[in-house]
């Protein structure tokens, strides 16, 4: 196991402590609580809306079963406990992109909790705890513009995204470097893509990550003051933003300055984080159980059924790709196996390509007419 000191080249006596919160939009046909199509990305503005997702008074939400199915599959893949008794709660705040003045989310009873995700780092395996995975709804999208004639700013609202199912995964602060954070994020996205529950596209905004970063003296267990970093639009941005933050906080501590508890935003063009708001002004969300939805009972039989339906996930598939060349394995290096199994599409393509040229491969029946006779050279 690597010494923690090597994780912080900026100031080795301090150890970075990093936890990620990841929001993933689910690929359901309809939105979380209404029957509007959830394919908002390519739709003209404000064409995927109804009284429910517009937040009009008197409307009632209905839970999307497919979204619940997706989150349970995700929880199972992350070795989580799946709650049989769960509920939705109202998170109250006001912002122009929040149509109802509250977001339906989950507070104290998330559907999935206490799981883990194993990642390969520094030639070893590391287990990262998952605190919870819960279900909520996305908000509308704001477009900020400047009127060229007057120079005045104004904003446009596209409500299409409002109510799209959003799954939030909260990881435990077990990550110790920007590289570990990136590896973990890639591994999580890979699982979602294998399950087919999310596109996992950071560029499109269907996969978004916030990072909590703090430092503490090496050898201590108490957490330092944490800073939340937002607005990263790529895996590279997540890596760079965390690196920047470790460096910034190291330098402050070196100068004997305090770290302010705040939310910071990543500015891609400048490669820096800037303060967005102080945590002292943090909202009190006044959570309470959503009165328009009944508690949600998840039948153990359904959980067992979904467990049976889990596909081969990236981790076992990678192990199989590394197994001795033969009927199942391909004898690949860990590096090659990782590259090929991160994306299910690439892994499938690889297996199909091998099957097409390897007579003894299990997928050979897929190409019977072209399979060369045994004894022929293979690729
Ligand atoms: Zn709607």
């Amino acid at each position: 196991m690597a010494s923690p000191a090597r994780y912080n080249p900026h100031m080795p006596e301090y150890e970075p402590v990093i936890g990620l919160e990841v929001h993933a939009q689910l690929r359901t046909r309809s939105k979380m609580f209404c029957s509007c199509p959830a394919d908002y990305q390519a739709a003209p503005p404000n064409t995927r809306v109804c009284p429910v997702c517009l937040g009009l008074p008197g409307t009632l939400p209905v839970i999307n079963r497919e979204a619940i199915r997706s989150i349970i599959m995700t929880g199972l893949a992350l070795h989580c406990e799946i709650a049989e008794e769960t509920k939705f709660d109202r998170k109250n705040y006001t912002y122009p992109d929040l149509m109802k003045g509250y977001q339906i989310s989950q507070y104290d009873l998330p559907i999935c909790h206490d799981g883990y995700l194993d990642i390969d780092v520094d030639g070893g395996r590391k287990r990262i705890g998952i605190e919870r995975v819960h279900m909520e709804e996305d908000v509308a999208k704001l477009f900020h513009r400047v009127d060229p004639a007057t120079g005045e700013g104004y904003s446009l609202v596209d409500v299409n995204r409002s109510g799209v199912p959003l799954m939030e995964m909260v990881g435990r602060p077990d990550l110790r470097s920007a590289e570990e954070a990136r590896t973990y994020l890639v591994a999580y996205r890979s699982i979602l893509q294998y399950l087919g529950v999310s596109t996992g596209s950071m560029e499109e905004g269907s996969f978004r990550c916030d990072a909590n970063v703090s430092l503490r003296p090496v050898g201590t267990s108490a957490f330092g003051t944490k800073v939340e970093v937002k607005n990263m639009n790529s895996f590279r941005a997540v890596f760079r933003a965390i690196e920047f933050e470790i460096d910034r906080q190291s330098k402050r501590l070196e100068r004997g300055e305090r770290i302010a508890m705040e939310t910071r935003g990543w500015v891609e063009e400048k490669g820096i984080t800037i303060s967005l708001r102080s945590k002292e002004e943090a909202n009190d969300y006044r959570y309470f159980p959503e009165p328009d939805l009944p508690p949600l009972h998840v039948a153990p039989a359904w959980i067992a059924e979904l467990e049976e339906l889990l596909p081969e996930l990236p981790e076992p598939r990678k192990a199989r790709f590394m197994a001795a060349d033969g009927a199942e394995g391909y004898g690949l290096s860990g590096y090659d196996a990782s590259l090929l199994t991160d994306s299910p599409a690439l892994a499938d393509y690889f297996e199909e390509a091998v099957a097409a040229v390897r007579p003894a491969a299990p997928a050979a029946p897929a190409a019977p007419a072209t399979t060369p006779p045994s004894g022929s050279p293979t690729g």
Side-chain angles (χ1 to χ4, degrees):
M1 192 66 207
S3 137
R6 60 168 293 196
Y7 285 124
N8 187 359
H10 313 282
M11 203 176 172
E13 58 268 40
Y14 283 95
E15 170 188 52
V17 175
I18 304 155
L20 301 188
E21 292 173 13
V22 187
H23 284 90
Q25 282 173 351
L26 297 180
R27 290 176 60 189
T28 53
R29 276 202 309 278
S30 55
K31 291 188 181 179
M32 188 63 219
F33 299 114
C34 63
S35 55
C36 288
D39 63 339
Y40 74 97
Q41 297 273 13
N46 300 311
T47 55
R48 298 287 189 269
V49 297
C50 75
V52 174
C53 55
L54 280 167
L56 300 186
T59 56
L60 289 173
V62 176
I63 298 171
N64 182 333
R65 183 182 166 91
E66 186 58 27
I68 302 301
R69 181 186 187 277
S70 299
I71 190 173
I72 293 174
M73 295 283 276
T74 304
L76 290 170
L78 295 173
H79 314 279
C80 287
E81 302 283 326
I82 310 298
E84 290 170 22
E85 304 294 326
T86 178
K87 67 177 170 69
F88 286 93
D89 300 275
R90 277 191 191 181
K91 180 180 182 179
N92 299 280
Y93 66 98
T94 49
Y95 201 72
D97 63 10
L98 189 63
M99 306 316 291
K100 297 192 289 284
Y102 60 84
Q103 180 188 29
I104 303 180
S105 181
Q106 295 195 286
Y107 182 52
D108 53 346
L109 291 176
I111 295 179
C112 317
H113 60 94
D114 295 300
Y116 62 85
L117 176 56
D118 287 335
I119 56 170
D120 291 325
V121 279
D122 286 334
R125 166 89 25 121
K126 182 167 176 178
R127 180 157 293 181
I128 310 300
I130 307 290
E131 185 183 315
R132 58 188 283 161
V133 190
H134 70 256
M135 206 60 247
E136 57 188 31
E137 53 179 338
D138 212 341
V139 296
K141 213 168 174 176
L142 298 179
F143 296 89
H144 304 291
R145 303 268 192 269
V146 176
D147 185 330
T150 63
E152 285 197 24
Y154 63 97
S155 296
L156 300 169
V157 187
D158 178 4
V159 187
N160 284 349
R161 195 178 67 177
S162 172
V164 166
L166 199 58
M167 179 171 74
E168 178 172 356
M169 186 271 267
V170 181
R172 296 198 184 279
D174 296 339
L175 302 161
R176 295 290 173 267
S177 69
E179 185 51 39
E180 284 188 10
R182 174 163 62 183
T183 304
Y184 163 82
L185 198 57
V186 169
Y188 178 52
R189 181 184 64 170
S190 196
I191 286 175
L192 300 188
Q193 290 177 334
Y194 271 68
L195 295 173
V197 300
S198 175
T199 61
S201 167
M202 289 194 90
E203 292 71 21
E204 282 178 4
S206 60
F207 189 74
R208 316 196 277 266
C209 164
D210 300 333
N212 289 304
V213 182
S214 64
L215 297 185
R216 67 181 172 196
V218 168
T220 62
S221 57
F223 294 125
T225 306
K226 82 177 175 192
V227 169
E228 185 180 23
V229 188
K230 292 178 170 293
N231 303 342
M232 293 89 82
N233 295 325
S234 66
F235 288 97
R236 186 165 171 270
V238 172
F239 177 86
R240 289 177 68 210
I242 292 173
E243 277 278 289
F244 176 86
E245 203 47 37
I246 292 171
D247 183 53
R248 188 188 70 85
Q249 292 185 24
S250 295
K251 285 176 178 156
R252 285 192 70 90
L253 292 171
E254 200 168 22
R255 291 194 299 264
E257 294 169 359
R258 289 185 56 223
I259 305 296
M261 191 169 177
E262 61 184 348
T263 301
R264 300 180 69 87
W266 172 245
V267 185
E268 180 72 33
E269 314 79 62
K270 296 183 180 166
I272 59 168
T273 65
I274 55 164
S275 183
L276 295 180
R277 58 179 180 270
S278 147
K279 278 280 179 182
E280 280 79 57
E281 305 157 15
N283 279 304
D284 170 8
Y285 293 118
R286 295 169 292 121
Y287 281 100
F288 60 85
E290 170 55 55
D292 288 339
L293 288 172
L296 183 64
H297 304 285
V298 181
W302 193 31
I303 300 173
E305 189 186 310
L306 294 180
E307 196 154 22
E308 287 296 312
L309 292 175
L310 283 179
E312 183 185 28
L313 292 166
E315 207 42 56
R317 195 169 197 183
K318 180 184 164 192
R320 182 163 65 77
F321 276 28
M322 289 168 69
D325 199 13
E328 290 276 302
Y330 302 104
L332 298 181
S333 70
Y335 178 77
D336 288 344
S338 271
L339 279 186
L340 287 168
T341 53
D342 275 349
S343 140
L346 185 60
D348 289 347
Y349 179 78
F350 170 77
E351 294 217 86
E352 281 161 27
V354 173
V357 295
R358 188 162 85 174
T370 56
T371 303
S374 66
S376 298
T378 57

